[in-house]
């Protein structure tokens, strides 16, 4: 029972490089989301998706792209990494019922030099 | 837009002390409310929830009551343990029910 799987767990990038954080869930949840966690800032919503082909912006979407081609996968793309994107990233899935119990991945720690 | 405000930490307590972590929210209508906990080195996990006004969520000795009059969902525990040391996040479900909005988190440190 895998739940939500995120890869990679750790990544170091240079400024301007691109990369994709992968996220997959096997619970057939409709909703998926990406958060970043920074000290003193809590978890901030980057993007979320309500189903295959449908995505929307959260609180801090700039510098990130997402797509949802299948129910299972929700990758997060950094097109040109910046030091301000150094953070821990969490992917989460959310069933439509019961409301609100997020299932989190283990997190991906990204450092941009 | 929707938002959650938590008391700033860190909160430092001795074992068996009483704990309160304040949480208030701003939202349209009456959103479902949650407390999540993050233990050191781990991801977040659901601690308790309340889906309507006056509901009380409880788990592992923690309680929180949904107060629509004061738009609050304060977390309480009567007697904390060292193992309760963690970061606690208050959150609300957005109006569409598609994502959670989190507060900044409150770090709790309990010493023996």
């Amino acid at each position: 029972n895998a739940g939500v799987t995120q890869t990679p767990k750790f990544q170091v990038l240079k400024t301007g490089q691109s990369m994709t954080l992968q996220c997959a869930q096997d619970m057939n949840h409709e909703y998926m989301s990406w958060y970043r966690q920074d000290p003193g800032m809590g978890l901030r919503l980057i993007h979320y998706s309500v189903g295959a082909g449908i995505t929307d912006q959260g609180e801090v979407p700039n510098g990130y792209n997402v797509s949802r081609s299948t129910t299972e996968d929700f990758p997060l793309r950094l097109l040109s990494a910046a030091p301000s994107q150094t953070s821990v990233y969490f992917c989460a899935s959310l069933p439509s019922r019961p409301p609100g119990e997020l299932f989190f991945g283990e997190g991906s720690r990204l450092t941009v030099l | 837009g929707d938002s959650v405000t938590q008391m700033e930490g860190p909160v430092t307590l001795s074992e068996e002390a009483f704990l309160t972590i304040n949480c208030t929210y701003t939202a349209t209508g009456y959103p479902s409310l949650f407390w999540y906990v993050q233990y050191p080195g781990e991801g977040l996990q659901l601690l308790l929830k309340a889906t309507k006004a006056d509901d009380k969520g409880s788990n592992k000795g923690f309680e929180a009551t949904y107060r629509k009059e004061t738009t609050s969902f304060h977390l309480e525990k009567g007697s904390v343990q060292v193992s309760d040391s963690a970061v606690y996040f208050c959150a609300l479900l957005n109006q569409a029910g598609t994502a959670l909005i989190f507060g900044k988190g409150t770090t709790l440190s309990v010493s023996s």
Side-chain angles (χ1 to χ4, degrees):
Chain A
N1 201 6
V4 178
T5 303
Q6 272 184 249
T7 56
K9 287 187 171 48
F10 301 94
Q11 183 72 49
V12 179
L13 291 178
K14 295 181 180 178
T15 297
Q17 287 185 317
S18 63
M19 78 157 298
T20 299
L21 297 176
Q22 301 291 344
C23 177
Q25 55 102 357
D26 62 359
M27 297 171 284
N28 203 34
H29 290 166
E30 293 179 63
Y31 311 142
M32 297 185 74
S33 47
W34 277 101
Y35 295 86
R36 58 177 291 172
Q37 183 176 20
D38 303 291
M41 300 299 292
L43 272 79
R44 293 181 290 171
L45 182 63
I46 304 171
H47 286 283
Y48 64 100
S49 168
V50 300
I54 307 171
T55 64
D56 205 349
Q57 296 182 351
E59 184 184 356
V60 288
N62 293 340
Y64 306 95
N65 282 351
V66 292
S67 60
R68 183 102 180 266
S69 56
T70 66
T71 300
E72 293 79 19
D73 299 304
F74 191 45
L76 179 72
R77 298 184 184 84
L78 286 71
L79 297 180
S80 179
S84 61
Q85 293 178 305
T86 293
S87 188
V88 179
Y89 292 85
F90 287 97
C91 178
S93 72
L94 180 67
S96 55
R97 289 286 184 273
E101 183 170 354
L102 276 179
F103 290 77
F104 283 92
E106 293 184 344
S108 300
R109 183 175 294 276
L110 175 66
T111 301
V112 182
L113 303 175
Chain B
D2 297 347
S3 67
V4 175
T5 302
Q6 287 181 239
M7 63 184 288
E8 296 205 9
V11 174
T12 304
L13 295 173
S14 298
E15 208 165 23
E16 300 183 3
F18 184 85
L19 169 71
T20 299
I21 300 178
N22 291 340
C23 171
T24 58
Y25 68 90
T26 302
T28 303
Y30 304 107
S32 295
L33 300 172
F34 307 84
W35 278 100
Y36 278 78
V37 59
Q38 185 178 33
Y39 297 104
E42 299 184 10
L44 277 79
Q45 53 188 279
L46 178 66
L47 180 60
L48 53 85
K49 68 179 181 183
T51 58
K52 60 183 187 296
D54 298 326
D55 266 3
K56 178 185 283 188
S58 62
N59 186 24
K60 299 181 180 180
F62 291 90
E63 293 183 339
T65 302
Y66 191 140
R67 303 284 188 200
K68 68 177 182 180
E69 300 84 4
T70 53
T71 62
S72 64
F73 193 54
H74 305 322
L75 182 69
E76 296 181 337
K77 187 175 186 183
S79 177
V80 294
Q81 305 300 313
V82 172
S83 57
D84 293 327
S85 297
V87 183
Y88 293 82
F89 293 92
C90 187
L92 63 82
L93 187 65
N94 66 2
Q95 192 171 20
T98 55
L100 263 66
I101 307 300
F102 286 87
K104 293 186 178 182
T106 302
T107 299
L108 170 66
S109 178
V110 181
S111 58
S112 58

